């Protein structure tokens, strides 16, 4: 009996390690800008026609969203890996009286105009502050790839042989009034094409409620 319990514990431990490794491979990187980590990541909730997106946009397609603290805003906006930075309002006028979100959209070989996307918090449309490209270097592992955060120009990793290629992403910074948020669960939505909707959810109580874990199962609360 003791041997059976020991075997079950070993299997359980091995499974936990496998989940963490899988999570690491899925997440790929733990920074969104130098000194700014993923503890403010929103939970992916759902999207319409996900497999259609893989077909149309490619297997590298991925999407993430983050709450951005005001003090980290300039770090993200002026990261050395940003390219084609477009501002839709003067950055010097920004204050901590508003809330900010970052949506990251990677792997698409199609060109989208910023006007193709509309952004919402709890069905209230919010404004686009800035858009820009951002590249992540990656290493190949079998048939997969693992991205990592670039602490120098992403292309330099490829040139030095420490990366196998670069994953191209687009980033969008959104600004919204704090009264658009409610205490408890909130939904951040991105809408494009006639019927494409992508949802992320997060908890809010006068500020973003951090619930970051390297691996978690969304129980739908």
């Amino acid at each position: 009996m003791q041997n059976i319990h020991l075997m079950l514990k070993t299997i359980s431990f091995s499974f936990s390690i496998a989940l963490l490794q899988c999570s690491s491979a899925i997440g790929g990187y733990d920074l969104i800008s130098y000194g700014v980590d993923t503890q403010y990541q929103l939970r992916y909730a759902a999207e319409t026609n996900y497999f259609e997106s893989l077909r149309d946009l490619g297997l590298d397609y991925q999407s993430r969203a983050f709450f951005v603290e005001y003090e980290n805003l300039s770090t993200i906006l002026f990261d050395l890996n940003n390219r084609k930075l477009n501002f839709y309002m003067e950055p010097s006028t920004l204050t901590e009286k508003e809330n900010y979100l970052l949506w990251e959209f990677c792997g698409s070989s199609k060109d989208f105009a910023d006007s193709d996307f509309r952004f919402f918090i709890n069905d209230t449309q919010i404004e686009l502050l800035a858009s820009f490209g951002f590249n992540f270097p990656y290493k190949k592992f079998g048939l997969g790839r693992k991205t990592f955060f670039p602490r120098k120009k992403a292309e330099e990793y490829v040139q030095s042989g420490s990366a196998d290629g670069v994953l191209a992403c687009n980033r969008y910074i959104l600004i919204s009034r704090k009264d658009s948020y409610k205490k408890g669960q909130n939904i951040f939505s991105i809408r494009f094409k006639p019927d494409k909707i992508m949802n992320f959810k997060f908890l809010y109580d006068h500020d973003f409620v951090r619930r970051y874990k390297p691996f978690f199962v969304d129980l739908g609360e």
Side-chain angles (χ1 to χ4, degrees):
M1 184 65 71
Q2 287 182 339
N3 289 337
I4 292 175
H5 285 307
L6 180 59
M7 182 177 67
L8 290 174
K9 287 182 180 179
T10 302
I11 292 172
S12 176
F13 177 76
S14 300
F15 180 66
S16 299
I17 293 298
L19 289 178
L20 289 173
Q21 288 174 338
C22 177
S23 171
S24 177
I26 293 171
Y29 38 84
D30 292 319
L31 292 176
I32 57 174
S33 196
Y34 193 78
V36 184
D37 62 31
T38 55
Q39 64 179 313
Y40 293 95
Q41 185 168 354
L42 278 58
R43 291 190 178 193
Y44 171 83
E47 70 179 88
T48 55
N49 304 320
Y50 174 74
F51 291 104
E52 180 183 287
S53 295
L54 290 180
R55 183 195 69 200
D56 295 344
L57 304 177
L59 293 178
D60 289 330
Y61 162 69
Q62 62 184 36
S63 174
R64 306 189 305 168
F66 303 89
F67 189 89
V68 177
E69 291 189 303
Y70 173 73
E71 54 264 34
N72 293 328
L73 192 59
S74 62
T75 302
I76 294 172
L77 285 172
F78 299 105
D79 192 289
L80 61 85
N81 271 288
N82 291 354
R83 51 186 173 78
K84 297 181 181 178
L85 181 60
N86 299 310
F87 280 107
Y88 291 91
M89 57 184 66
E90 178 55 50
S92 62
T93 64
L94 303 176
T95 71
E96 58 187 2
K97 294 180 180 179
E98 288 78 34
N99 281 337
Y100 303 92
L101 294 168
L102 164 64
W103 178 51
E104 181 182 272
F105 181 64
C106 301
S108 172
S109 59
K110 292 188 175 183
D111 290 326
F112 289 96
D114 292 348
S115 57
D116 290 336
F117 302 104
R118 292 181 299 146
F119 305 92
F120 297 83
I121 287 289
N122 302 320
D123 292 323
T124 298
Q125 188 162 357
I126 59 177
E127 295 182 74
L128 179 62
L129 189 164
S131 68
F132 48 94
F134 192 94
N135 290 338
F136 286 98
Y138 65 80
K139 293 286 290 183
K140 291 181 180 179
F141 291 92
L143 297 177
R145 301 176 180 179
K146 184 175 181 180
T147 55
F148 58 92
F149 182 79
R151 289 176 170 79
K152 55 186 177 182
K153 286 288 187 179
E155 294 76 12
E156 293 181 22
Y157 290 93
V158 180
Q159 295 165 5
S160 66
S162 53
D164 296 311
V166 168
L167 176 65
C169 299
N170 290 314
R171 287 180 161 187
Y172 304 85
I173 301 287
L174 296 311
I175 182 172
S176 60
R177 294 165 52 96
K178 292 190 175 183
D179 59 12
S180 300
Y181 295 67
K182 61 185 180 181
K183 185 176 180 179
Q185 182 171 283
N186 290 254
I187 301 294
F188 169 49
S189 300
I190 303 100
R191 301 176 188 176
F192 61 106
K193 294 185 175 181
D195 57 352
K196 182 71 173 177
I197 302 174
M198 193 177 303
N199 289 335
F200 296 85
K201 64 183 180 180
F202 60 99
L203 295 180
Y204 188 85
D205 187 1
H206 302 291
D207 201 352
F208 180 81
V209 178
R210 287 179 287 178
R211 302 184 61 191
Y212 174 79
K213 295 179 181 178
F215 182 86
F216 57 75
V217 177
D218 191 346
L219 299 177
E221 68 277 20

